[in-house]
Amino acid sequence: MTPALRDEIEDRLLEDEAVASSTIDFVLAACDGDIALDRCIDSFADTPAPRATTERPKRLSRDAPAGAYLRRLEVSGFRGVGKPLELELSPGPGLTVVLGRNGSGKSSISEGLEALLTNTSSRWADRGKEWREGWRNLHHPDDRVYVEATFDVEGSASIVARRIWRDALDESELRVRRGNEKLAEGFAELAWEEPLETYRPFLSHRELSTVLDTPSRLYDPLKAILGLDEVQMATRRLSVAKKARDAEAKDLRAVKGALVADLEATDDDRARVCFAALKKRAVDVATLETVVFARDEDGPSVSSDLRRIAQLTAPDLDRIAEASSRLRSAIAWGADLDDQREAHAAALASLLEQALKFCAPQDEPGACPVCGAPLSAAWAEEARARLTDAQQASQRRAKVDAERKEASDSLRALITPVPALVNRLEPLGLPVDAATIWARFCRLPDRLDELADHAEREALALVEALEALREACRKRIEARDSVWSPLARRVAAFIEPARRAEAARPLVKALKDAKKWLDDAIASMRDERFAPIATHAQRLWRQLRQNSNVDLAGVRLEGTSTRRRVALDVAVDGTEGVALGVMSQGELNALALSLFLPRMTLGESPFHFVVIDDPVQAMDPLKVDGLATVLAEVAKARQVIVLTHDNRLYEAIRRLGIEARVLEVQRDLSSKVSLYELIEPVERHLRDATHCLRHRDGLGRDTVCDLVPTFCRLALEAACTEAYRRRRLERGDAHRDVEEALEDVQGLHDMMAASLDVESDQLYGHLNQHYGRNAADLLKRIKRAAHQTYQGDLEQLVRDVRDFTMRIRRAS
């Protein structure tokens, strides 16, 4: 992007107080190119820094480009031109008209210049092969096909450019010199390549007549002159960056949509959790990760319950059998003891122990404190023996009781309580036998002799029930996982792209905001830059339209891409209408010229010359007058070269007194094309008469006496015709009426009467009264010379006719 354009964008950004700092960063990065934008995207943060309030830098002024004028053009062997044809021009503002009939080779001049500068031509562009085959002149040697132009550039040495064709139209060699310096890069070194596209200094008839055929054909060249293509490129960069992320988001939305539909149709608690997480505006990635990557026990209840149920531990039958056997042994051991006798022995041992303790402090046992019987040492010895027997019996009883308790406790410890999970068997769709058996397993009998049998019997039943339950769980888990596992893999694959998409939301918004700002800025800049062009086009149309009923109220560039168009606000007799539908071809050509001339004459263009080929076609005489006026205005600041076959433009230029150089193209045999200065008819006929007088010796007196009066007669007729046209047109008469009236006039006498606005029979009296007696006599002499040899002074005749024609033309 040019520094000036980037500066303008930056100025607009700094002036916009509402713009975010991220918008500033992205817009300027897009202006700086793809690499700068990529770096800006990579460094983007969710919370961009606040907008900095920096002082606006000073901008350097940039001068307009140096203007180039066309000094000389030489065409050789190209299309209708055979031997080299040279067109010498005055390198500065002014109007040059090249006039020639169809087929004279005049279009080869303009197309040659276009081909020289652009290596193509609108004549054959976008057309079939047959349009490209006639580029080489048939009467010219194959090795001499070239076009050469000399340009005078302000502040620089002259530029000489020559393009040479040898074998094919697409194979040409361009040579460019600046003074004595050869420019290896050609027009690129002059920085002309882009302006040749933007400010094309030539307009062919084909372009003029077809530019309004499609909306884009007119829009594109007009938009190009606004110099906003590089800004459009910047907005395209932003669009591409955003679309790349939008495409990812779009693809992700498609994946998400299919995933959501499948999850919703799946009867699985994990699928339902993931479905809810995906249905949120911002996908709940954390929940998806929990469901997909968490341990079974941390997952949704059904899945974890099934897996935990499948892992339930059955009773250890071996340990239960061992504990039951021990309990039975303890019970059998105690069965051999007499419970009453063992209880009496324990009581007796306690009593004897107390008695012995009572008698111990005495030397002699004394009497029994209970019954009073004497207690002897023998009694004491016997009592001690009995105490030992009683204590041993009591210890056997205690040991049996302890063994029974320990054995029963050990067995009860192996009977685990019913897990809470077992209560969910029915909701989970699992068989409930295990729950019933486990509950029965835990209901212990009161009698110890029944405990062992109960434990072994119910434990075995519980083991079998749990095995069946685990098998049912495994099948249920396999059935669920056969559906869930593929979904789980899809959810897992979705997580990371979803996380990236969520993280990219702020970036996408920032890119969108930057693109919108730049689009709005482009629209504003487009309108501002196009406004003077539109105003100029309207002014030119008012000059060109003459008596047209169509008024051009406004010109606008609208839309983009396939909807781009030039909006033309037209009204027909005050009623709004559609330009292309209501305008004639001549009006359309005039409108196209109104729109293109402002583009070709912008100050930013380095080409201060304009070449227009055949702009007169389909224009009525009033439009031709308007065209002549417009060309004269443009020629005040530009070098204007117009090529036409229509004499009406030349006549309008003469009649309106427009200063112009007029050249005539003449084509002889073998494509020999020549250019001649075209002199207005009156002067040309008088010069021809003078030429005959100068060569009277070679021509002979009789011939000279016939030719000189004839040329004088033609000069008078031309002067009268010019005077008649000017008087009638200035009076406001229609061109068509004037031309039809001229066709009806017969002879010099009637033509002069018409031009002086008198009756034919009053002509001589009018001449004698207003132009002197010699005027009527002069007319009579010239009329007689048509029937008999002139006997008077031929040189005086020429002088008299010159003076008379000047008076007639001034009087009109």
Side-chain angles (χ1 to χ4, degrees):
M1 180 177 294
T2 62
L5 192 54
R6 190 187 188 281
D7 290 347
E8 184 175 353
I9 295 295
E10 187 173 357
D11 287 344
R12 287 175 176 266
L13 284 166
L14 295 175
E15 289 170 358
D16 189 349
E17 296 181 355
V19 70
S21 61
S22 59
T23 298
I24 297 175
D25 293 340
F26 278 122
V27 168
L28 294 179
C31 291
D32 291 338
D34 294 324
I35 296 176
L37 182 58
D38 289 342
R39 288 174 179 170
C40 189
I41 290 173
D42 292 340
S43 61
F44 177 76
D46 289 352
T47 54
R51 172 177 171 173
T53 55
T54 57
E55 183 179 354
R56 185 179 307 174
K58 294 182 179 179
R59 308 302 186 197
L60 297 176
S61 61
R62 294 177 173 84
D63 298 330
Y69 292 95
L70 184 61
R71 172 183 288 277
R72 176 180 172 275
L73 180 66
E74 182 177 345
V75 181
S76 176
F78 184 81
R79 291 202 62 236
V81 178
K83 292 182 178 180
L85 169 67
E86 294 186 24
L87 172 60
E88 297 286 345
L89 297 163
S90 175
L95 175 60
T96 299
V97 177
V98 179
L99 186 64
R101 61 177 174 80
N102 288 329
S104 63
K106 66 180 186 308
S107 293
S108 299
I109 297 172
S110 61
E111 290 171 6
L113 177 63
E114 183 182 5
L116 166 65
L117 292 174
T118 66
N119 197 25
T120 186
S121 169
S122 58
R123 176 181 177 82
W124 58 72
D126 303 324
R127 280 180 162 177
K129 180 181 178 182
E130 60 275 10
W131 286 91
R132 307 169 65 87
E133 292 179 343
W135 64 277
R136 186 190 302 277
N137 186 266
L138 299 176
H139 305 107
H140 197 68
D142 292 347
D143 59 347
R144 295 287 293 169
V145 181
Y146 67 86
V147 177
E148 181 178 282
T150 302
F151 303 93
D152 281 6
V153 181
E154 298 168 342
S156 171
S158 294
I159 302 296
V160 178
R162 171 180 281 213
R163 189 178 294 275
I164 303 170
W165 291 269
R166 290 188 173 86
D167 298 325
L169 180 61
D170 296 331
E171 300 173 4
S172 64
E173 178 188 359
L174 176 65
R175 301 173 183 174
V176 181
R177 299 194 318 273
R178 179 166 48 200
N180 296 324
E181 175 191 6
K182 181 179 179 181
L183 304 183
E185 299 298 324
F187 295 136
E189 201 162 334
L190 297 171
W192 280 9
E193 287 188 337
E194 183 177 339
L196 281 169
E197 290 289 333
T198 305
Y199 309 105
R200 283 174 58 87
F202 17 73
L203 181 61
S204 70
H205 173 68
R206 180 175 182 239
E207 288 179 285
L208 193 63
S209 58
T210 61
V211 70
L212 296 174
D213 288 352
T214 59
S216 62
R217 185 169 290 180
L218 177 60
Y219 179 97
D220 292 342
L222 289 177
K223 183 185 73 67
I225 64 178
L226 303 182
L228 298 177
D229 287 347
E230 291 179 301
V231 189
Q232 292 282 9
M233 182 61 71
T235 196
R236 280 195 290 271
R237 290 189 186 102
L238 291 169
S239 180
V240 168
K242 179 179 176 294
K243 284 182 179 179
R245 286 148 185 86
D246 286 343
E248 293 179 0
K250 181 179 179 181
D251 294 343
L252 191 64
R253 284 194 297 271
V255 173
K256 176 183 174 181
L259 191 55
V260 165
D262 292 343
L263 289 170
E264 186 178 18
T266 302
D267 183 18
D268 189 293
D269 54 317
R270 294 164 295 187
R272 285 190 290 273
V273 173
C274 290
F275 172 80
L278 285 170
K279 287 293 288 183
K280 294 181 179 180
R281 183 179 179 277
V283 175
D284 187 352
V285 176
T287 297
L288 296 180
E289 287 182 316
T290 299
V291 174
V292 175
F293 300 120
R295 299 188 305 272
D296 289 335
E297 57 270 23
D298 297 329
S301 59
V302 173
S303 300
S304 58
D305 286 351
L306 286 173
R307 297 188 186 280
R308 284 196 290 267
I309 289 171
Q311 295 172 359
L312 286 175
T313 302
D316 190 336
L317 294 180
D318 291 338
R319 293 183 63 190
I320 288 178
E322 181 181 350
S324 297
S325 176
R326 180 182 175 186
L327 178 59
R328 289 190 183 94
S329 297
I331 293 173
W333 183 22
D336 295 337
L337 299 177
D338 185 348
D339 291 340
Q340 291 185 353
R341 188 167 62 84
E342 294 296 331
H344 177 74
L348 177 60
S350 176
L351 180 61
L352 290 174
E353 188 175 9
Q354 294 295 324
L356 289 173
K357 286 181 179 180
F358 178 77
C359 296
Q362 303 177 25
D363 294 335
E364 290 294 334
C368 175
V370 177
C371 64
L375 300 174
S376 60
W379 170 84
E381 185 66 25
E382 181 182 356
R384 291 187 182 92
R386 290 178 63 193
L387 175 59
T388 300
D389 292 339
Q391 288 177 335
Q392 290 177 349
S394 177
Q395 289 174 355
R396 285 197 299 273
R397 177 74 269 171
K399 188 174 181 180
V400 168
D401 290 343
E403 179 63 19
R404 285 180 176 178
K405 183 177 185 307
E406 185 177 348
S408 63
D409 289 346
S410 297
L411 184 56
R412 286 189 176 92
L414 296 175
I415 300 175
T416 55
V418 180
L421 279 174
V422 176
N423 296 325
R424 289 180 47 79
L425 297 182
E426 186 173 0
L428 292 174
L430 296 173
V432 297
D433 294 349
T436 303
I437 294 173
W438 206 319
R440 193 172 64 230
F441 178 54
C442 293
R443 290 196 295 269
L444 301 179
D446 296 332
R447 293 178 54 182
L448 286 182
D449 57 350
E450 297 177 358
L451 180 59
D453 293 340
H454 171 84
E456 288 183 329
R457 182 180 64 255
E458 299 301 332
L460 180 59
L462 181 56
V463 167
E464 293 175 351
L466 285 178
E467 181 61 31
L469 178 61
R470 280 193 293 269
E471 182 63 24
C473 282
R474 281 193 294 271
K475 290 181 179 179
R476 182 73 187 281
I477 290 171
E478 288 175 359
R480 284 165 56 86
D481 285 351
S482 65
V483 177
W484 167 246
S485 292
L487 284 174
R489 288 192 292 270
R490 289 167 61 189
V491 172
F494 178 83
I495 288 174
E496 190 55 36
R499 180 180 284 111
R500 288 198 306 268
E502 187 63 29
R505 281 180 185 272
L507 172 59
V508 172
K509 182 181 184 303
L511 290 170
K512 180 180 179 181
D513 291 345
K515 182 180 182 300
K516 182 180 184 305
W517 186 94
L518 197 52
D519 284 339
D520 293 344
I522 290 173
S524 177
M525 294 168 69
R526 180 188 65 190
D527 293 343
E528 291 173 7
R529 294 187 176 199
F530 189 66
I533 299 172
T535 301
H536 191 185
Q538 289 175 266
R539 181 163 55 83
L540 292 177
W541 169 249
R542 284 193 292 271
Q543 293 175 278
L544 282 168
R545 62 177 286 202
Q546 295 297 315
N547 289 336
S548 171
N549 296 326
V550 180
D551 181 37
L552 182 62
V555 184
R556 302 183 311 280
L557 298 180
E558 292 183 346
T560 57
S561 187
T562 57
R563 297 182 179 272
R564 64 194 188 278
R565 71 187 186 101
V566 177
L568 304 173
D569 299 331
V570 301
V572 183
D573 295 329
T575 303
E576 293 185 0
V578 180
L580 303 184
V582 301
M583 300 175 78
S584 68
Q585 187 59 50
E587 289 174 322
L588 290 175
N589 287 358
L591 177 60
L593 196 63
S594 300
L595 294 170
F596 266 81
L597 279 175
R599 179 200 74 166
M600 302 166 76
T601 57
L602 284 174
E604 293 82 359
S605 171
F607 309 112
H608 287 192
F609 58 90
V610 173
V611 181
I612 306 174
D613 187 18
D614 257 344
V616 185
Q617 291 191 30
M619 290 186 181
D620 59 41
L622 278 175
K623 297 291 187 306
V624 177
D625 283 0
L627 173 63
T629 304
V630 166
L631 294 175
E633 178 185 330
V634 175
K636 293 177 182 178
R638 281 290 192 278
Q639 182 185 31
V640 180
I641 305 161
V642 179
L643 301 100
T644 181
H645 72 283
D646 199 322
N647 288 328
R648 293 179 301 162
L649 178 61
Y650 168 57
E651 292 173 356
I653 288 173
R654 284 197 306 106
R655 178 168 32 82
L656 296 173
I658 295 172
E659 184 178 351
R661 180 189 180 202
V662 181
L663 301 173
E664 185 176 14
V665 181
Q666 294 184 359
R667 185 177 188 274
D668 296 328
L669 295 175
S670 300
S671 300
K672 182 180 179 181
V673 180
S674 305
L675 288 170
Y676 300 93
E677 293 279 348
L678 186 64
I679 305 169
E680 52 89 13
V682 174
E683 183 62 27
R684 185 171 70 248
H685 294 318
L686 292 175
R687 286 190 183 186
D688 288 343
T690 303
H691 183 78
C692 290
L693 290 173
R694 289 176 181 172
H695 297 82
R696 68 183 73 190
D697 293 340
L699 293 173
R701 176 172 175 76
D702 291 342
T703 301
V704 172
C705 288
D706 288 337
L707 288 177
V708 170
T710 300
F711 286 130
C712 289
R713 180 187 183 93
L714 291 174
L716 276 175
E717 288 179 348
C720 291
T721 301
E722 179 182 332
Y724 181 77
R725 279 200 182 101
R726 180 177 292 114
R727 180 174 56 80
R728 295 262 328 247
L729 292 176
E730 288 178 352
R731 190 172 67 188
D733 293 344
H735 273 268
R736 180 177 299 175
D737 295 341
V738 174
E739 297 304 318
E740 289 178 355
L742 284 172
E743 291 178 2
D744 293 337
V745 175
Q746 300 294 326
L748 175 60
H749 186 94
D750 290 345
M751 175 61 70
M752 187 170 293
S755 67
L756 299 177
D757 198 19
V758 297
E759 296 296 330
S760 181
D761 58 357
Q762 299 175 3
L763 176 60
Y764 290 134
H766 180 83
L767 290 176
N768 290 333
Q769 182 180 356
H770 295 282
Y771 294 91
R773 297 184 62 84
N774 290 337
D777 179 66
L778 177 63
L779 176 59
K780 293 175 182 178
R781 283 185 283 140
I782 290 177
K783 289 172 63 177
R784 286 196 299 269
H787 305 288
Q788 60 187 28
T789 303
Y790 189 79
Q791 300 298 325
D793 186 344
L794 293 175
E795 292 181 348
Q796 185 61 46
L797 177 64
V798 173
R799 287 193 294 269
D800 291 343
V801 170
R802 182 182 296 278
D803 179 67
F804 191 22
T805 56
M806 290 178 62
R807 295 174 68 188
I808 292 175
R809 295 165 79 181
R810 282 199 299 267
S812 64

